[in-house]
Amino acid sequence: MSNLLLGGDLRARDHHRIEDDAREEGPLHPVTLPNGVRMQVVTVGLELTRQLLADQRLSKDSAKLQREIKRQLAERGSAQENLAGLFGPSMLNSDNPQHARLRALAVKAFNGKAVQQLAPRIEEISAELIGGLPENAEIDLAEELTVPMPMHVIGEVLGLPAQDRAHVRTLIETMMSMEPEVSQPASDELGGYFHALLTGNGLDPRSLFGVLTNAVDDDGDHLSHDELMAMAFLLVVAGHETSAGLIANVVHDALDNGLWQKVAEDPELVPRLVEETLRHNSPVRSATHRIAVEPVEIGGTTVPENTLLLINLGAAGRCPRAHDKAGEYRLDRETTGHATFGYGPHFCLGSALARLEAETVLRQLTSRFPGTVHAGDGRPEVTHSDIMASLKSLPVVLRR
């Protein structure tokens, strides 16, 4: 079972059983990535998951992570020098005080006020894409809507030229695969693209990339080129991949649980449905890599120093100690607590934007196509990934 926690040939909801069974079996599960790197997947309840996500003994530091990964690769005879851009020195892969420094430079673009200012444009982008969808014919909603919509949004926020976004999206999808022979070249190509974009003269100075290239704090500090590159990888990938996965899961779960028509009749239910999807069917399967900087006891077992860890989020969201009938998808819960957006210092910077995008798409789709149904058996394939649990496709028939 352990390596199924990294991905596998899964269809919608299959990973729920795997993660929930793993949580009941024990807290730690040794796994090996396709490139041979060994780590532990943590499957524990919601309370302990939150504690671990905020535990400073589980470091996010890029240098420490890269050093251990390269050590293991060298043991296998690999001469690989570069790792995927997502392992660069971004705020995702740093500890305080460096994390706080990097986060402060980007936070203004993603706080509640900034996201609400984006709301009219998000409505426009969603309406434009939905307006071009055919009725009464089977379509892949992932390809036509749930994937391109957040790419357009994050592209405008960051300053990605419109003509480049489809290719950037393809590179991200390839980079996030579990196949090193294709993921590393895609990462390298995306790095080259970001280098050219960030060092060229075509950036809109009002975009976030434009601001970050010139950002200086009160002490005269600014981002180094390596930090700027790592920030680009993080903001583009996280700002697109996770939102695309959430939107697809929300649409799928509304249809799958007989709630589509109910939401069409009562749009006030939309935020609750999005939140229940985040809890029950997180698009982020596991929080990104951590490394133990000292021995750490997890659920009665001690992991040694330098152990690489992935903390599973789905098992935490469906924790029976945190929720009554946690395996059921329900909108009448008093609380929908989860750790999908993380916890502690690394709580997701884009959580407000992701929620708004998902709510906007669901509200517009149910209003325009209240008779929509699944095409096929309603169990599309799930991405083969250690981090993501989003749908590869979403076949539906849109009906009024």
Side-chain angles (χ1 to χ4, degrees):
M1 171 187 289
S2 291
N3 265 22
L4 287 175
L5 290 168
L6 295 179
D9 296 324
L10 306 176
R11 293 191 172 267
R13 300 183 303 277
D14 286 349
H15 58 292
H16 294 184
R17 171 185 51 80
I18 293 163
E19 293 162 0
D20 293 347
D21 287 351
R23 183 191 59 238
E24 297 308 310
E25 286 182 12
L28 293 162
H29 308 272
V31 297
T32 303
L33 296 175
N35 64 1
V37 172
R38 302 177 303 279
M39 57 183 57
Q40 297 274 353
V41 176
V42 180
T43 55
V44 294
L46 180 60
E47 182 178 356
L48 181 52
T49 293
R50 286 173 167 168
Q51 291 174 14
L52 294 173
L53 290 172
D55 194 325
Q56 296 181 14
R57 298 172 299 171
L58 303 182
S59 173
K60 296 283 291 170
D61 181 73
S62 172
K64 294 183 177 72
L65 289 166
Q66 292 204 38
R67 185 165 55 246
E68 174 59 20
I69 292 170
K70 289 179 179 180
R71 185 193 68 78
Q72 291 196 32
L73 290 173
E75 277 187 351
R76 294 176 53 84
S78 171
Q80 182 177 345
E81 289 294 325
N82 297 321
L83 299 179
L86 284 175
F87 285 100
S90 70
M91 56 186 168
L92 179 68
N93 296 322
S94 59
D95 300 325
N96 284 333
Q98 175 74 342
H99 169 262
R101 167 185 167 257
L102 295 172
R103 188 178 177 104
L105 292 168
V107 69
K108 290 182 180 179
F110 294 98
N111 63 27
K113 181 179 179 181
V115 169
Q116 286 306 312
Q117 290 175 342
L118 286 171
R121 183 59 184 139
I122 292 172
E123 293 277 353
E124 290 176 0
I125 292 172
S126 181
E128 289 169 6
L129 290 170
I130 291 173
L133 299 176
E135 297 180 44
N136 302 315
E138 180 176 337
I139 63 169
D140 181 356
L141 202 64
E143 181 64 27
E144 300 294 334
L145 177 64
T146 69
V147 171
M149 186 269 191
M151 176 53 77
H152 283 303
V153 173
I154 199 66
E156 290 196 6
V157 171
L158 299 179
L160 288 180
Q163 68 271 17
D164 297 346
R165 293 171 193 166
H167 184 55
V168 169
R169 185 184 94 192
T170 299
L171 290 176
I172 291 172
E173 291 171 348
T174 306
M175 186 180 71
M176 294 293 287
S177 75
M178 297 285 284
E179 303 170 7
E181 63 274 15
V182 296
S183 62
Q184 189 61 51
S187 175
D188 293 342
E189 184 177 347
L190 191 58
Y193 170 80
F194 286 146
H195 174 77
L197 178 68
L198 296 170
T199 58
N201 298 317
L203 275 178
D204 181 346
R206 298 167 298 177
S207 70
L208 184 56
F209 278 166
V211 170
L212 289 175
T213 57
N214 298 300
V216 178
D217 68 12
D218 293 339
D219 297 321
D221 188 21
H222 60 86
L223 291 173
S224 69
H225 181 67
D226 286 348
E227 290 171 339
L228 191 58
M229 288 286 289
M231 186 79 81
F233 267 97
L234 171 61
L235 293 176
V236 173
V237 177
H240 167 260
E241 191 74 9
T242 54
S243 290
L246 174 58
I247 296 169
N249 286 0
V250 164
V251 171
H252 177 274
D253 288 357
L255 291 170
D256 204 47
N257 291 279
L259 296 169
W260 190 268
Q261 182 65 45
K262 189 173 182 179
V263 170
E265 295 169 355
D266 184 5
E268 295 298 317
L269 292 174
V270 166
R272 299 185 69 176
L273 193 146
V274 169
E275 210 64 23
E276 179 68 348
T277 299
L278 285 164
R279 180 198 72 83
H280 185 265
N281 191 16
S282 169
V284 183
R285 193 174 193 190
S286 293
T288 51
H289 307 72
R290 283 166 165 78
I291 184 169
V293 295
E294 62 181 78
V296 178
E297 188 269 326
I298 299 176
T301 301
T302 298
V303 297
E305 182 180 354
N306 292 326
T307 300
L308 294 170
L309 297 163
L310 290 173
I311 301 174
N312 185 269
L313 302 178
R318 295 184 301 276
C319 169
R321 293 180 295 280
H323 304 286
D324 181 46
K325 298 181 179 178
E328 297 180 7
Y329 188 97
R330 293 165 44 186
L331 299 187
D332 60 349
R333 298 184 184 277
E334 292 185 6
T335 177
T336 51
H338 55 79
T340 294
F341 290 125
Y343 193 76
H346 285 276
F347 185 82
C348 177
L349 191 66
S351 60
L353 179 60
R355 283 185 171 106
L356 180 59
E357 289 175 329
E359 291 172 10
T360 299
V361 169
L362 186 61
R363 192 178 298 109
Q364 290 188 3
L365 272 178
T366 54
S367 173
R368 182 161 182 162
F369 301 111
T372 295
V373 295
H374 278 304
D377 63 3
R379 300 191 70 235
E381 291 181 81
V382 176
T383 51
H384 187 119
S385 171
D386 52 345
I387 301 299
M388 297 300 299
S390 53
L391 300 174
K392 288 185 178 180
S393 62
L394 183 53
V396 301
V397 177
L398 299 174
R399 295 175 180 166
R400 292 189 183 272

